Amino acid sequence: MAVSQSRVVCVVDDDAAVRDSMRVLLESHGLRVREYASARAFLGDTLNENADCLLLDHHMPEMNGLELLEILRSRKVATAAIVITGRSDNTLRARAIRAGALACLDKPVDEDELFHSIDKAFSQAGH
């Protein structure tokens, strides 16, 4: 995957180890990464407005990734999003796609599947 350093992926996950490993993986592919420990932290940061892709953990306290995505879409934020979950089922996948997610991936995330989804996000954003 050939990427530009200007591309930004926001990782929203309450698990610090997941955020850290995702940051290392994404940065090794030339991406800039912003990490958020909660949906509320993400919503409170104006820097997230120039993100090219969002990786949203579904199972988080207070507000899950799907709820965050629904809020963003209600605010007309069109940034491509990928929902990641450790406990997936067909109902969750269908809800995520209806809410506007490009994909709903299972943890541990398959690297090829992740970067295929990220490439799709960048394509939709016109990068």
Side-chain angles (χ1 to χ4, degrees):
M1 174 176 157
V3 297
S4 160
Q5 280 291 335
S6 64
R7 292 190 177 157
V8 176
V9 177
C10 292
V11 177
V12 184
D13 196 308
D14 61 313
D15 186 326
V18 170
R19 288 192 316 274
D20 186 54
S21 63
M22 195 64 74
R23 178 186 45 77
V24 169
L25 175 64
L26 296 170
E27 287 179 346
S28 75
H29 283 80
L31 297 167
R32 290 178 41 218
V33 178
R34 286 199 193 97
E35 301 174 52
Y36 300 90
S38 70
R40 297 221 185 274
F42 174 82
L43 288 171
D45 185 3
T46 58
L47 289 177
N48 68 37
E49 294 172 4
N50 65 353
D52 297 294
C53 182
L54 309 175
L55 298 180
L56 309 176
D57 180 34
H58 177 63
H59 297 283
M60 295 186 288
E62 294 183 33
M63 181 188 308
N64 67 45
L66 193 52
E67 292 167 335
L68 172 57
L69 181 57
E70 290 167 343
I71 287 170
L72 292 172
R73 294 306 185 242
S74 75
R75 294 179 180 178
K76 307 296 185 221
V77 175
T79 306
I82 300 162
V83 174
I84 299 173
T85 181
R87 295 172 273 179
S88 110
D89 60 47
N90 289 335
T91 302
L92 172 60
R93 287 182 191 288
R95 279 188 61 209
I97 300 305
R98 275 195 311 274
L102 290 176
C104 184
L105 307 178
D106 293 327
K107 288 181 183 178
V109 176
D110 176 80
E111 187 174 333
D112 290 336
E113 192 175 14
L114 174 65
F115 283 104
H116 173 75
S117 297
I118 290 172
D119 283 340
K120 186 176 174 182
F122 293 154
S123 293
Q124 286 188 353
H127 293 271

